[in-house]
Amino acid sequence: MSQPVHTRLTKVLGCDYPIIQAGMGGPGRSELCAAVSSAGAFGCIGMVKEKPELIRSEIEAVRGRTDRPFGVNLVPSVTDPVLLEEELEVCFSERVKVIVFFWDVRPDLVARARAAGCKVLYQVGSVADAIAAERAAADAIICQGVEAGGHVRGKVTSMVLLPQVVDAVSVPVVGSGGFGSGASLVAALALGAEGIHCGTVFLATDECYAHDYHKQRVIDAASEDAIYNDVFAIGWPPQSPVRTIENSVTKQYENDLLGHGPDDFPLEVIARDGDDAVYRFSTHSPLRGMSGEMEPLALYAGQVCGQIKQVRPAGDVVRDMVNDARHALARLRSLE
Ligand SMILES: Cc1cc2nc3c(=O)[nH]c(=O)nc-3n(C[C@H](O)[C@H](O)[C@H](O)COP(=O)(O)O)c2cc1C
């Protein structure tokens, strides 16, 4: 591993490089998280709406693979309150060091997580929510631009939002949405961020739990194919936008991509994940071991997919990003 790159963020997280692998519910499990953390960046398991037993076993699985720090991602406002309590209980009793929350800012949960000894990162999509998360005492703010993959809270691009959030808060800020290379890490640092948070670039890795079909679509996609829509609606509150690769569902709704909710669609089973039914128009993405139709599922990806050309080991992605960042910095210094 090359020299660490420290910022205030790496001090909060205890990792070597200011690169966070986004906790992707479904594809982001222990194998990916451990590979990223072992490589010196910061892995997260995406545990939105997962059962407490799975969360516990995934935490143990990460710990079985690496002794480097990692985080758990939860999305409180889309999770049944009883399940959310169980999820938090597992994180607290397992002494998880870092929790990454997303979507509506919940000051009560930040306070509880900090009281339980966790560091809290909050992913937000606006200056107002960044200020709310800082007031709630989050340890760092992840600022999500509209180019991001998965569920999208940001309404404007990272380039525009990130410097505004940096100006508005004093805790470390992390760029999210559109970051997938070393040069983009340097760009985020130039805009005042202290790290980047990446989902799509870690989807196309060997260790990611996504179905191979999803990984192939990510490497085949051009940036223009990553469509902002809310037709993958079953499972989240109404009008929760996502960015997914164009497929038969987004084509069917190409003139009506926004303004939908879960009750607008019939419950039609098109795939299975073990014993669980997976519905057309649901927020489920294709995962390892799923059977049925993969093409119509939510093929989450950010606009950065256009830069991703192959499926690689996650550790190589981290190493190349760090090396590329050093080259980009050297190039900039040569301009002085
Ligand atoms: C496949 C996928 C699943 C995601 N699932 C979650 C999730 O469960 N929780 C969450 O906080 N963010 C989730 N996100 C969004 C990421 O946190 C992050 O905002 C996004 O990936 C950043 O943009 P990028 O895809 O351009 O790197 C997901 C993103 C992707 C691509």
Side-chain angles (χ1 to χ4, degrees):
M1 269 196 281
S2 63
Q3 282 283 92
V5 178
H6 283 305
T7 65
R8 284 191 301 164
L9 178 75
T10 59
K11 298 207 173 88
V12 169
L13 300 177
C15 57
D16 290 339
Y17 306 122
I19 300 168
I20 302 175
Q21 168 247 316
M24 298 177 279
R29 291 222 181 156
S30 49
E31 200 181 333
L32 174 60
C33 170
V36 169
S37 286
S38 300
F42 191 80
C44 290
I45 47 174
M47 293 285 111
V48 54
K49 295 209 268 191
E50 297 289 10
K51 295 194 179 78
E53 305 80 57
L54 180 79
I55 301 181
R56 198 180 297 280
S57 65
E58 285 293 285
I59 291 170
E60 282 165 9
V62 179
R63 288 178 175 154
R65 288 172 183 269
T66 182
D67 54 7
R68 304 303 302 262
F70 67 97
V72 177
N73 166 253
L74 300 175
V75 188
S77 61
V78 307
T79 305
D80 173 80
V82 175
L83 178 60
L84 179 64
E85 280 307 310
E86 293 172 346
E87 292 181 330
L88 291 168
E89 199 283 320
V90 176
C91 293
F92 298 161
S93 63
E94 288 290 334
R95 305 208 167 279
V96 164
K97 293 212 171 62
V98 176
I99 299 190
V100 182
F101 289 125
F102 185 30
W103 222 249
D104 299 307
V105 177
R106 288 276 306 268
D108 55 325
L109 299 183
V110 178
R112 283 177 58 197
R114 283 178 55 98
C118 306
K119 303 273 190 206
V120 177
L121 273 58
Y122 228 112
Q123 180 166 229
V124 300
S126 66
V127 172
D129 276 359
I131 292 170
E134 181 177 54
R135 278 211 189 108
D139 295 278
I141 309 294
I142 301 174
C143 163
Q144 191 203 42
V146 71
E147 58 273 76
H151 279 87
V152 184
R153 190 73 168 164
K155 299 253 187 280
V156 296
T157 61
S158 290
M159 179 78 117
V160 169
L161 184 60
L162 190 49
Q164 295 184 54
V165 169
V166 167
D167 277 352
V169 300
S170 55
V171 291
V173 176
V174 183
S176 180
F179 299 97
S181 66
S184 72
L185 168 58
V186 173
L189 298 176
L191 292 172
E194 306 204 34
I196 53 175
H197 179 251
C198 312
T200 302
V201 78
F202 287 113
L203 259 182
T205 58
D206 296 327
E207 296 87 349
C208 174
Y209 201 72
H211 194 285
D212 284 345
Y213 178 77
H214 191 176
K215 297 181 189 181
Q216 188 63 43
R217 292 296 309 268
V218 171
I219 59 180
D220 290 345
S223 293
E224 294 79 5
D225 299 331
I227 315 258
Y228 183 78
N229 70 85
D230 63 18
V231 291
F232 297 98
I234 298 173
W236 273 52
Q239 297 176 29
S240 298
V242 295
R243 191 175 291 284
T244 58
I245 299 172
E246 185 178 64
N247 66 358
S248 52
V249 171
T250 61
K251 276 197 200 123
Q252 184 186 344
Y253 280 84
E254 65 188 344
N255 297 317
D256 183 22
L257 285 168
L258 292 167
H260 304 286
D263 298 338
D264 298 341
F265 300 103
L267 287 182
E268 181 195 347
V269 178
I270 57 168
R272 294 219 158 253
D273 185 10
D275 293 337
D276 296 335
V278 176
Y279 301 105
R280 193 184 296 278
F281 304 111
S282 84
T283 55
H284 282 96
S285 62
L287 300 180
R288 254 185 224 176
M290 266 192 194
S291 57
E293 292 183 65
M294 299 297 120
E295 190 278 343
L297 295 180
L299 304 172
Y300 298 118
Q303 292 180 335
V304 76
C305 62
Q307 289 176 9
I308 301 168
K309 299 295 172 217
Q310 52 179 334
V311 176
R312 296 192 298 154
D316 289 5
V317 172
V318 173
R319 186 200 57 208
D320 288 356
M321 264 194 206
V322 174
N323 289 340
D324 289 351
R326 291 192 208 285
H327 288 137
L329 265 181
R331 198 159 24 86
L332 292 179
R333 283 207 194 96
S334 74
L335 300 176
E336 281 176 351

